[in-house]
Amino acid sequence: QEWLPIVKDYLDVYTYHNYDDSGQDAGLAAKIVTPQYLDSTYNRVKSVFAAFNENANPGTELWVGEIAAAWHSGRENVTNAFESSFWYADALGRMAANNHTGFCRQTLIGGAYGLLNRVTYEPNPDYYTAKLFHDLAGDMQLNVSNISDNYGGYFRAYAYCSRISSGHVGLVLINISPNV
């Protein structure tokens, strides 16, 4: 934070890394689909947003240059499985809502958090989440009222102008409620 005002005239992109938890956590499968876990990405990096917004010159982009739901190569059958897609979709939506123009996944192939399986090279579920965002979500995110608060954080919504067709809107709806 201290150096950002000094170098701001030379930056085109400001980037940082974020990991939410340890891949060695045996309880990760249950935690990754909770509102608290989804919120941990935002809570961990909101000071980055504040520093960027206070110090960056207009036109400087904000990227998360490396991100995953868990460090230490993720957790087998969690960060490379369906559960991870809830975290990934929420992180993509939340970062876009906070003016991120770049979102770089930790790895394409490697560990238990790659977009592709490290042995078979078949796509992991997060690959499809990334593909849908890339193909459907345009550059303009629309303001969706925070309906998550009405449902204890279990339901989240993000909306974008469509990349495919002018005048159309794409929605990302995330329901992690164990009851619905």
Side-chain angles (χ1 to χ4, degrees), residues 53-150:
N53 290 331
E54 283 178 27
N55 296 297
N57 285 336
T60 302
E61 295 184 32
L62 178 59
W63 290 15
V64 58
E66 187 174 303
I67 192 167
W71 67 84
H72 202 269
S73 294
R75 182 147 188 99
E76 192 67 41
N77 299 316
V78 179
T79 54
N80 59 355
F82 182 71
E83 292 92 339
S84 181
S85 292
F86 293 106
W87 169 83
Y88 196 32
D90 191 66
L92 286 165
R94 184 78 67 100
M95 297 302 122
N98 283 279
N99 300 318
H100 283 65
T101 56
F103 191 106
C104 304
R105 183 63 181 253
Q106 158 52 14
T107 184
L108 178 63
I109 302 171
Y113 51 28
L115 293 177
L116 301 178
N117 180 290
R118 67 180 179 260
V119 176
T120 66
Y121 306 114
E122 293 290 322
N124 285 325
D126 283 357
Y127 170 85
Y128 297 104
T129 303
K131 178 92 171 114
L132 284 169
F133 263 87
H134 175 270
D135 291 353
L136 301 176
D139 294 334
M140 182 176 290
Q141 183 159 359
L142 304 173
N143 187 11
V144 177
S145 64
N146 193 358
I147 59 175
S148 180
D149 289 343
N150 298 332

Side-chain angles (χ1 to χ4, degrees), residues 89-90 93-94 97 141-142 144 156-160 170-174:
D90 191 66
R94 184 78 67 100
Q141 183 159 359
L142 304 173
V144 177
R156 293 149 189 263
Y158 301 98
Y160 303 86
L171 293 173
V172 177
L173 302 174
I174 302 167

Side-chain angles (χ1 to χ4, degrees), residues 3-12 55-58 60:
W3 54 266
L4 191 55
I6 298 167
V7 299
K8 70 178 187 177
D9 293 333
Y10 306 100
L11 293 178
D12 295 317
N55 296 297
N57 285 336
T60 302

